[in-house]
Amino acid sequence: MSNACERLERFVDGELEPAEADAFREHLLSCEPCQAALSEAVQLELRAERLLADEEPRTQVLRLSQALPARRWGRARLVAMGTGLAALAACVLALVYTSIAPPRVPAEVWLAEAPTRSIEARVSDGRADGHRTYDVPRSGPGGAAENGSPSLEALATLERQRDFRGIAAAWLVRGEWKQAAEYLARAPAGPEVDNDLAVIALGQDRPDEALALLERSLRARPRHAQALWNQALAYRQLGLLLKAAGSFEQVVALGEPGWSGEASRAAAALREEVRRRKASWEALIQAGRAMVEHGTPLSPAQVSELPGLARLYLYDAVRASPSRERVLGLLPVARQLDDIDSGTHLQAYVQRTAGRDFTVRRPLAETYASLALGTLPPAELPGFLERLRRSPEQDLLLGALLFSPAPGTSLDEYRRLALATEDPWFALLADDKQAEAELSRGEALAAEARLLGALRRCGDTARLDYRCGRVQRLLSTVYDTLHRPQEAHQHALGALRRGLRSHDWPLELLLFEDLGQLSAHTDKLLLTHAYLEEFLARMEPAACDYQDFVHTLLAATHQSALDFDGARNEVDIAARCGRTPTLARAAVVADLARQRPRPEDEDTLRKALEAVRTASPSNPGESALATSVEGRFELERNRPLGQSLLRRAIAETERLPATDVNGRKARAYSYTSLLFDAGRHGEYDQALVLFSAELEMTPPGRCVLGVTVEDERTLVVIRDTAGKTHGAYDASRKQPFAGAGGLVPDGMVEALRACESVDVLARPPVQGRSGLLPSDVAWAYRVGPTTTRPSALPTRRLVVTDIELPEELRQVLPRIEAPFEPESPGDTTVLRGYAATPSRVLEAMANATEIAIHAHGMIDLGVSDASFLVLSKEDGGRFTLTARDLQETHLEGRPLVLLAACYSGRTTPSLHESFGLPIAFIHAGARWVLATTEKIPNSEAARFFEPVLARIRAGEPPARVLRDERLAWRKRQGNPWVEQVLLFQ
């Protein structure tokens, strides 16, 4: 027994000091002898109670926060022991009361008689859902400590009755999410449990997860009052105030006493907030124009509420001022804005401008006022810019350049002027404009680097939110262009937070639209609806262009969710405005041609194609995509014509650079249509030709598997050891694709089992998934053309090991120590410790013929959509090696690559391509890559991988080596992690 155990009696008697009692509670959670002693104490107390009472056993409310009556342990008192002991004590009491008639559980367990409620969300259990005013201490929610723990006797009774939802409700109303979750996990699934899990998600600031749970609850019970209420809270937490108001109004319609009135007030307040924000923005625009035209200063209230827009108009008002007096009249606005941003730039600018020679400046300022107010004829702008370039009034030139019809031609000039002001507002604006130009030229990576630097200068404060929000939104657009949806989503949310914080009405609108698109790109139907419906509601009455865009995007998202009726409905709504259909709408119509066709679809398609093909200037990538869409549509009506169009689209993409995203999509989508067309008609040899052609390789004569999925369709084709082709086509999938297991029919697996190794030609989203074939089959994902040609370079091995973990990760990641003794010191380079930085590793990889990286792999969607490697930190703070880092790398040594890192095989598929470390290494020049999709035990990695590498070095086929070593390992060790090790070639 430890010294701590000696404190049990004093603890029960309530004689410990508060700090000692807290320490003992922690000890009690892991000490079985003390737990047993506590159980005995409770039982003895109950027996004594019965004997002294001289009557039938009766129930007693026993709370951890309440003293025991004086009995055996001196005048013992059971003092508050904290929520961590609640489950143990409940179990003890459940045993004690087994022979007693079930007592009535008091309402106090659910705080039903409290004057107010301490959580805003609603719990499904009616005993915890009585209406009371929502009120919490200003210091924050009190939780169990504020409201007291539930009665142990009551918890024991509920446990004995297996009323797990009741126990969870007792913890939920106290804001104790962990305890509530434990009991909800034991309760039968259903709409009530989904609602209560959503309450936990809301309490933990996960509104998107809460929405998904509530949607499931409401599908089962559309009038579920608590779920509707909590749905409103989730929408509000996401900033979707009008959606939240709509959900509250559905609660009002249910007519519940108390709840209906509170919901009505909440809905009205939310709608008023949106109206006020929009009105404030519009009012400041009018006041700002008046300040530019007449010098009338903005009110302090306007500056305080909308500092970003106020600053924008102050710059123009100073530039437009024709006299020293007008300029100085703006000093109070400048002073207030400087106070908000903790700076002095604006006051200095006003004072500096007031000292200018207005006999020279006045005519230029008056022309600038016309330019800022939109009354200067466009033809006069070039001449005005030339006059400003010859004048000393460079601040006027800085402002006027942004009105240029071709601002990209003067970006260097603008940047020089912006940086000369030493005002962070203009430095951020210069970065924003240059990144915008880089993105338009297809230089997305340059734009990313520029914007990340700008965002670092912004920090996390509210300073310059107007400018920083726009920088972050553009960074989100860059990541969307690069098909990095998680990073795009993260920065869109960051930009939205800045917009909401600064009451930036236009930025909010733009970001609701952006977030709707990003949610659609990742097939999050519920969030797509939420963001886009909020966008349309705030645009009311929304123009037809917006209606068309939103409903077309929703149609595509419904299509991805295999909800074809929903997709058809959204297409029909988009068509009601009568605008020329977009290519995006035509693409959805082409997909619906095989599921929900309509006679009017051909007219929709023809109008969209004509608009693309007559656009000026023409876009070759978009033109190829249009041809692909037309081919997909015609394939359902006129097979030869559809095939011809699809092959033409592929041919058109061959003339396009690899950076043309529309071209890559056109090529992939065309192969998709041709493959499924061949499968549907039983032309499996032709399908294998297509699988191979897409990878620019010769079709293997034997031991090959081709597999592709899209929406409801699956196509699997093999050639066995005799070169005989077998195929399976299915169009009956009811749920979106979720995993590779079971895709290949058993008969085909058996036919492939006789192969020495199998080349797998898998297309996104199957490519890179584990479990496609059993572990006793030797197989590898083929990522590119067949090439067994080794490098002409001499053998050079690179080992990266003993990474010096960045300080910020040392608390969450253990140090990996993989001792390495090179067999041939002369041909092996070892980068370890502080030397193993991303830049050093990339440099050393260029000429290596074998690369082994022993490091942590991580999935952090704020860093990369796919997994990445954690290396040692270098100057500048970088410590990650991502798939993007390999895009500019050429591996001259055509190496075998071992990524002995957790999750290193994870890929992120889109409809037209997969993205991840193994694929990036192959495209950079590697011949083979070994990686894993899951965690690797640190102590076992080297013992498994070293024999694999040794056998491959000796010339054995990598797929067969991996299969043999995997089976041997399972037989020896039994640990299944090796099943997740994949080979890419």
Side-chain angles (χ1 to χ4, degrees):
M1 180 178 292
S2 70
N3 292 336
C5 296
E6 298 173 0
R7 300 178 184 175
L8 177 63
E9 183 172 346
R10 293 177 59 213
F11 175 73
V12 175
D13 286 345
E15 296 174 359
L16 294 180
E17 294 297 322
E20 293 176 300
D22 287 342
F24 188 81
R25 291 186 192 102
E26 293 294 323
H27 163 76
L28 191 59
L29 292 175
S30 59
C31 179
E32 293 185 3
C34 284
Q35 292 171 7
L38 173 63
S39 176
E40 292 173 5
V42 172
Q43 293 182 57
L44 287 169
E45 280 296 322
L46 291 171
R47 290 171 186 164
E49 180 82 350
R50 293 171 191 166
L51 290 171
L52 292 174
D54 193 27
E55 59 182 332
E56 291 296 318
R58 64 190 179 200
T59 61
Q60 177 186 16
V61 177
L62 180 65
R63 301 182 182 85
L64 286 176
S65 56
Q66 175 180 313
L68 277 172
R71 293 289 185 269
R72 175 174 171 79
W73 288 38
R75 292 288 177 180
R77 292 179 301 136
L78 186 61
V79 296
M81 298 165 68
T83 59
L85 189 56
L88 166 67
C91 292
V92 170
L93 289 174
L95 292 171
V96 171
Y97 283 106
T98 298
S99 61
I100 303 175
R104 178 179 175 274
V105 178
E108 193 277 334
V109 169
W110 297 283
L111 304 179
E113 297 174 356
T116 60
R117 70 184 198 275
S118 58
I119 65 167
E120 191 174 10
R122 291 181 64 178
V123 179
S124 292
D125 195 310
R127 295 167 293 186
D129 192 46
H131 183 267
R132 285 150 295 140
T133 302
Y134 170 57
D135 186 32
V136 294
R138 291 195 175 187
S139 59
E146 183 74 27
N147 296 298
S149 298
S151 156
L152 288 179
E153 180 185 2
L155 291 179
T157 300
L158 294 170
E159 176 93 27
R160 189 169 60 254
Q161 297 170 354
R162 300 187 64 79
D163 186 356
F164 302 125
R165 283 207 303 113
I167 299 175
W171 292 117
L172 285 172
V173 297
R174 291 167 169 81
E176 295 291 339
W177 314 127
K178 183 176 183 295
Q179 288 87 343
E182 290 171 358
Y183 283 99
L184 288 173
R186 299 170 66 186
E192 283 72 30
V193 168
D194 285 336
N195 175 77
D196 291 352
L197 288 171
V199 172
I200 296 172
L202 287 170
Q204 295 177 337
D205 195 25
R206 295 180 282 115
D208 51 344
E209 293 180 33
L211 272 183
L213 289 162
L214 294 165
E215 175 72 7
R216 192 165 66 189
S217 178
L218 288 167
R219 276 202 306 268
R221 282 184 52 197
R223 290 168 58 83
H224 195 303
Q226 294 91 342
L228 287 169
W229 178 278
N230 295 332
Q231 185 183 64
L233 300 185
Y235 283 138
R236 191 185 67 190
Q237 210 165 320
L238 288 167
L240 306 174
L241 304 189
L242 295 182
K243 290 287 291 179
S247 292
F248 275 130
E249 285 158 357
Q250 291 183 68
V251 175
V252 173
L254 298 178
E256 299 174 287
W259 292 114
S260 180
E262 185 175 342
S264 178
R265 293 188 294 274
L270 290 168
R271 293 196 182 279
E272 173 58 21
E273 170 69 6
V274 173
R275 186 207 64 76
R276 187 188 64 79
R277 289 165 80 98
K278 181 180 181 182
S280 296
W281 185 269
E282 292 173 344
L284 196 141
I285 286 176
Q286 295 303 315
R289 289 179 62 84
M291 184 166 66
V292 173
E293 188 170 7
H294 306 297
T296 309
L298 299 173
S299 72
Q302 287 175 315
V303 174
S304 177
E305 184 174 18
L306 297 167
L309 188 61
R311 185 172 186 141
L312 187 70
Y313 275 110
L314 176 65
Y315 285 123
D316 277 345
V318 172
R319 294 169 188 146
S321 294
S323 66
R324 180 176 185 275
E325 291 71 27
R326 268 268 290 272
V327 172
L328 290 175
L330 300 172
L331 193 56
V333 177
R335 186 177 296 116
Q336 185 179 356
L337 286 170
D338 274 341
D339 288 344
I340 292 171
D341 288 337
S342 303
T344 59
H345 293 92
L346 293 172
Q347 295 172 76
Y349 175 49
V350 169
Q351 297 283 9
R352 192 166 58 248
T353 303
R356 305 296 298 170
D357 181 355
F358 277 87
T359 60
V360 175
R361 185 178 174 92
R362 178 171 183 149
L364 296 172
E366 290 173 341
T367 304
Y368 184 90
S370 299
L371 176 64
L373 295 169
T375 60
L376 184 72
E380 296 183 18
L381 179 56
F384 180 51
L385 290 173
E386 288 305 315
R387 287 166 56 201
L388 290 175
R389 287 187 176 105
R390 295 192 300 269
S391 82
E393 310 305 325
Q394 295 295 281
D395 64 317
L396 299 184
L397 177 59
L398 177 67
L401 283 172
L402 290 181
F403 293 91
S404 171
T409 61
S410 53
L411 282 175
D412 291 340
E413 180 182 24
Y414 185 85
R415 184 171 188 82
R416 175 180 59 78
L417 293 169
L419 297 182
T421 67
E422 298 184 353
D423 185 335
W425 174 282
F426 292 115
L428 289 169
L429 186 53
D431 283 335
D432 186 279
K433 293 302 178 184
Q434 287 199 292
E436 197 174 63
E438 287 164 341
L439 185 60
S440 69
R441 295 195 301 265
E443 300 170 7
L445 294 176
E448 176 197 12
R450 185 179 302 280
L451 293 169
L452 284 173
L455 201 57
R456 280 193 291 271
R457 298 199 303 275
C458 288
D460 295 325
T461 68
R463 292 183 64 245
L464 302 176
D465 263 343
Y466 183 91
R467 286 263 62 90
C468 293
R470 282 158 173 75
V471 164
Q472 197 161 13
R473 180 190 176 235
L474 182 56
L475 181 58
S476 173
T477 301
V478 168
Y479 285 132
D480 188 33
T481 301
L482 291 169
H483 290 284
R484 294 158 71 175
Q486 300 298 343
E487 289 157 292
H489 188 260
Q490 176 202 22
H491 285 290
L493 286 177
L496 179 60
R497 283 192 293 271
R498 293 182 188 275
L500 292 170
R501 190 164 61 192
S502 61
H503 291 200
D504 191 336
W505 177 262
L507 186 60
E508 289 177 40
L509 285 179
L510 291 169
L511 285 160
F512 289 140
E513 181 183 14
D514 290 352
L515 284 162
Q517 292 186 68
L518 292 169
S519 299
H521 294 169
T522 50
D523 298 327
K524 295 176 181 175
L525 181 58
L526 185 62
L527 283 176
T528 305
H529 267 283
Y531 284 119
L532 294 181
E533 287 168 3
E534 180 80 13
F535 170 72
L536 285 182
R538 294 199 181 199
M539 294 290 292
E540 189 66 30
C544 271
D545 286 347
Y546 293 119
Q547 296 275 6
D548 190 327
F549 160 75
V550 165
H551 291 292
T552 296
L553 185 56
L554 287 171
T557 313
H558 278 278
Q559 171 87 11
S560 297
L562 307 191
D563 176 14
F564 303 113
D565 289 328
R568 182 79 257 180
N569 181 59
E570 295 293 343
V571 166
D572 293 344
I573 295 173
R576 289 174 190 167
C577 272
R579 294 296 178 89
T580 300
T582 61
L583 183 59
R585 194 187 337 156
V588 178
V589 165
D591 277 330
L592 289 174
R594 68 176 186 273
Q595 288 286 345
R596 302 291 189 276
R598 290 274 179 82
E600 62 269 23
D601 287 347
E602 183 176 5
D603 184 59
T604 297
L605 186 87
R606 299 296 167 214
K607 288 178 178 177
L609 296 176
E610 182 181 2
V612 170
R613 289 164 180 165
T614 58
S616 182
S618 63
N619 183 319
E622 189 175 32
S623 178
L625 190 56
T627 303
S628 177
V629 168
E630 183 180 12
R632 174 170 286 216
F633 180 79
E634 290 293 355
L635 205 56
E636 301 301 316
R637 301 159 14 114
N638 183 336
R639 190 183 182 213
L641 176 58
Q643 290 177 327
S644 174
L645 287 165
L646 292 166
R647 293 185 185 282
R648 192 176 90 194
I650 293 170
E652 289 177 14
T653 65
E654 291 174 356
R655 299 188 293 271
L656 299 175
T659 54
D660 192 310
V661 174
N662 281 330
R664 298 205 307 271
K665 289 180 178 179
R667 186 176 189 273
Y669 298 163
S670 296
Y671 272 111
T672 298
S673 295
L674 288 170
L675 278 162
F676 281 112
D677 175 65
R680 183 171 62 173
H681 291 88
E683 299 169 356
Y684 298 123
D685 279 307
Q686 175 60 21
L688 269 181
V689 170
L690 290 164
F691 274 117
S692 303
E694 187 175 19
L695 291 175
E696 299 178 342
M697 58 181 278
T698 302
R702 54 189 295 277
C703 294
V704 61
L705 163 66
V707 58
T708 185
V709 301
E710 182 196 46
D711 296 339
E712 80 285 7
R713 303 183 290 181
T714 303
L715 174 64
V716 180
V717 183
I718 71 164
R719 277 193 181 139
D720 59 22
T721 53
K724 185 178 179 180
T725 303
H726 308 266
Y729 170 83
D730 177 75
S732 62
R733 185 183 294 106
K734 302 301 181 185
Q735 297 295 327
F737 171 76
L743 276 182
V744 184
D746 292 343
M748 292 187 182
V749 172
E750 289 306 313
L752 293 172
R753 206 181 293 278
C755 293
E756 290 189 4
S757 66
V758 179
D759 280 343
V760 176
L761 315 182
R763 308 178 73 246
V766 181
Q767 188 183 73
R769 301 288 186 118
S770 61
L772 183 63
L773 287 173
S775 58
D776 61 346
V777 176
W779 62 281
Y781 280 115
R782 174 62 60 81
V783 178
T786 304
T787 174
T788 57
R789 177 183 57 81
S791 168
L793 297 175
T795 299
R796 288 194 179 110
R797 295 176 189 157
L798 169 66
V799 178
V800 180
T801 187
D802 290 345
I803 302 300
E804 191 65 38
L805 284 173
E807 186 174 344
E808 51 265 56
L809 295 179
R810 290 175 187 169
Q811 299 300 315
V812 294
L813 294 177
R815 183 180 179 87
I816 296 178
E817 295 186 5
F820 177 79
E821 296 298 332
E823 297 175 5
S824 306
D827 65 14
T828 301
T829 298
V830 181
L831 289 178
R832 62 168 86 237
Y834 288 107
T837 64
S839 295
R840 292 282 302 276
V841 170
L842 283 167
E843 180 183 5
M845 286 194 311
N847 295 317
T849 57
E850 181 185 304
I851 299 169
I853 301 179
H854 297 267
H856 280 293
M858 291 186 69
I859 299 173
D860 181 344
L861 300 180
V863 176
S864 173
D865 289 317
S867 59
F868 61 91
L869 303 178
V870 176
L871 301 179
S872 302
K873 185 179 285 190
E874 62 191 21
D875 293 344
R878 176 187 174 199
F879 59 82
T880 62
L881 183 66
T882 71
R884 297 288 171 188
D885 296 326
L886 294 163
Q887 284 187 323
E888 304 300 320
T889 300
H890 182 58
L891 303 177
E892 294 283 353
R894 302 198 49 71
L896 161 67
V897 177
L898 166 63
L899 301 178
C902 302
Y903 309 117
S904 56
R906 286 281 184 96
T907 60
T908 300
S910 61
L911 288 175
H912 66 287
E913 60 188 2
S914 291
F915 172 70
L917 284 167
I919 296 167
F921 268 104
I922 294 291
H923 288 164
R927 281 191 291 168
W928 302 288
V929 178
L930 286 161
T932 179
T933 59
E934 298 298 332
K935 290 183 178 180
I936 299 176
N938 183 31
S939 61
E940 299 179 4
R943 283 192 289 126
F944 174 76
F945 285 118
E946 281 304 319
V948 172
L949 290 179
R951 290 180 61 185
I952 295 175
R953 283 187 208 121
E956 295 186 57
R960 195 169 64 199
V961 169
L962 178 59
R963 187 264 320 269
D964 294 347
E965 293 295 331
R966 188 161 46 202
L967 291 175
W969 181 272
R970 288 300 307 271
K971 188 174 181 179
R972 286 194 313 269
Q973 309 289 337
N975 195 327
W977 69 268
V978 294
E979 302 291 346
Q980 312 301 322
V981 179
L982 300 178
L983 176 65
F984 298 79
Q985 64 185 47

